[in-house]
């Protein structure tokens, strides 16, 4: 009889491509992964891993069993969802990933509603970028994730996931109070072609969106500074070090030396929640989606 937890370990190895990656995804040590794999190899009577330089790779038998493991785990999750749905109660643990502004602007209200309505449900939140969160939902490391895309650049959603739109989040352009255009009622991104820009981390979806959008209007952006947090970006703007785009969701106090100008062509993000389709019948998932929709409506 194959052990389910060992099959989960094999599945994690296949998805992450390394022992350390599998250990991180399963929240266990690398030695625990190695031990589980050694036991699984004894169970099947064949080697499932082979050395590959300083790492490992799956053997043909390992890949074959990993394909079966993925289907078995999916069926187990579906069975758990059906049992929970029949019971009709939102209970147990719900793991949610969210990007920073949703952590501030949506989740406190949504989680408060969820706790009041379903006291036996334990929501656990992890702050992660949208791409990372969605990948974690696909892997099964998270149950749900809050994600975004922009009005002119959509983020691909894996086929295994379902999603519900929560809100459209408008964004403004932040300029120093002493900027020549600070007195305008509105501004075009093209008006700032000669300015330095403050952007998100390179490789992040929002950074790619900014570069894509500016190049789309014929502007080659001068990215002078990179900062993860919007508050840090605004501090740089106040110091006269550049301009930035700042969404309204979860926005805190704006420094007195910063002017926020709406864009002539509205700049906005689409905020949505995703979950594995085969978990859609879980009352906990449905309850969390409803709480998020209620919180979004109040923004």
């Amino acid at each position: 009889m194959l052990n389910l937890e060992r099959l989960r370990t094999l599945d994690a190895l296949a998805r992450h491509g390394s022992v350390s990656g599998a250990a991180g995804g399963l929240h266990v040590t690398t030695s625990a992964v190695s031990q589980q794999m050694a036991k699984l190899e004894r169970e099947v009577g064949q080697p499932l891993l082979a050395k590959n330089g300083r790492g490992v790779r799956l053997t043909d038998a390992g890949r074959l069993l990993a394909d079966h493991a993925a289907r078995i785990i999916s069926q187990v999750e579906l069975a758990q969802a059906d049992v929970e749905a029949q019971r009709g109660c939102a209970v147990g643990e719900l793991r949610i990933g969210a990007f920073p502004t949703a952590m501030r602007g949506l989740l406190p209200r949504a989680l408060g509603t969820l706790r009041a309505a379903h006291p036996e449900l334990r929501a656990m939140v992890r702050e992660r970028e949208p791409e990372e969160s969605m990948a974690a939902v696909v892997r099964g490391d998270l149950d749900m994730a809050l994600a975004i895309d922009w009005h002119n650049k959509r983020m691909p959603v894996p086929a295994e996931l379902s999603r519900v739109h929560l809100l459209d989040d408008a964004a403004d352009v932040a300029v120093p109070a002493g900027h020549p255009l600070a007195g305008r009622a509105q501004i075009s991104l093209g008006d700032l072609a000669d300015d330095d820009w403050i952007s998100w981390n390179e490789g992040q979806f929002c950074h790619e969106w900014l570069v894509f959008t500016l190049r789309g209007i014929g502007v080659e952006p001068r990215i002078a500074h990179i900062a993860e947090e919007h508050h840090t970006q605004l501090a740089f703007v106040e110091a006269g070090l550049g301009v930035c785009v700042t969404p309204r969701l979860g926005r805190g106090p704006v420094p007195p030396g910063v002017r926020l100008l709406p864009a002539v062509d509205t700049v906005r993000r689409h905020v949505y929640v995703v979950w594995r389709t085969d978990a859609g019948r879980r009352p906990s998932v449905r309850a969390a989606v409803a709480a998020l929709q209620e919180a979004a409506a109040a923004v």
Side-chain angles (χ1 to χ4, degrees):
M1 180 69 70
L2 294 173
N3 179 279
L4 181 60
E5 287 310 307
R6 289 167 199 152
L7 289 178
R8 288 188 187 277
T9 302
L10 176 62
D11 178 64
L13 265 169
R15 289 187 282 102
H16 291 278
S18 69
V19 172
S20 59
L26 295 170
H27 307 291
V28 299
T29 64
T30 54
S31 63
V33 170
S34 298
Q35 290 169 15
Q36 289 282 64
M37 289 304 301
K39 291 176 181 177
L40 185 58
E41 287 181 328
R42 288 197 294 272
E43 284 180 353
V44 300
Q46 295 187 67
L48 302 175
L49 297 178
K51 289 188 178 297
N52 184 30
R54 301 178 66 179
V56 296
R57 62 173 176 81
L58 293 180
T59 64
D60 290 344
R63 286 194 296 271
L64 177 64
L65 186 56
D67 288 341
H68 284 289
R71 291 192 291 271
I72 291 167
I73 292 166
S74 179
Q75 283 300 118
V76 169
E77 289 176 351
L78 188 58
Q80 290 173 332
D82 284 346
V83 170
E84 187 179 327
Q86 186 173 26
R87 183 179 177 185
C89 299
V91 298
E93 183 178 285
L94 189 69
R95 301 158 299 169
I96 304 172
F99 56 95
T101 51
M103 289 281 285
R104 293 194 299 270
L106 274 180
L107 278 176
R109 180 188 292 267
L111 294 181
T113 298
L114 203 56
R115 173 176 287 185
H118 306 282
E120 294 185 54
L121 178 63
R122 300 183 306 279
M124 301 174 62
V125 180
R126 299 291 181 266
E127 184 174 302
R128 296 184 180 180
E129 287 302 311
E131 310 98 301
E132 184 185 356
S133 284
M134 281 202 287
V137 175
V138 170
R139 293 193 306 265
D141 299 338
L142 292 174
D143 298 304
M144 307 177 70
L146 289 164
I148 55 169
D149 53 29
W150 292 83
H151 67 287
N152 60 337
K153 186 174 176 63
R154 296 303 177 96
M155 180 180 291
V157 176
E160 303 97 317
L161 303 185
S162 296
R163 76 174 184 176
V164 163
H165 175 265
L166 296 175
L167 60 91
D168 285 346
D169 178 30
D172 300 307
V173 181
V175 302
H179 194 283
L181 304 181
R184 286 195 179 184
Q186 288 183 309
I187 197 169
S188 167
L189 297 184
D191 295 333
L192 301 169
D194 297 326
D195 283 81
D196 288 338
W197 283 87
I198 302 156
S199 181
W200 299 268
N201 285 342
E202 294 179 17
Q204 286 187 3
F205 185 71
C206 288
H207 175 86
E208 293 175 356
W209 165 81
L210 180 63
V211 173
F212 168 83
T213 300
L214 291 173
R215 287 177 176 167
I217 58 174
V219 175
E220 184 59 36
R222 295 203 311 263
I223 307 295
H225 306 287
I226 298 290
E228 178 77 18
E229 287 289 332
H230 291 137
H231 296 309
T232 305
Q233 294 180 5
L234 293 178
F236 273 59
V237 172
E238 185 178 36
L241 299 174
V243 299
C244 74
V245 172
T246 180
R248 296 177 186 175
L249 179 65
R251 182 191 292 165
V254 177
V258 173
R259 296 293 177 267
L260 298 181
L261 307 176
V264 174
D265 298 319
T266 303
V267 176
R268 64 188 181 278
R269 305 185 302 178
H270 307 295
V271 180
Y272 51 94
V273 58
V274 301
W275 62 92
R276 286 181 63 94
T277 299
D278 56 16
R281 283 175 280 188
R282 291 178 58 190
S284 56
V285 170
R286 296 202 303 269
V289 171
L292 286 164
Q293 289 176 311
E294 181 180 328
V299 170

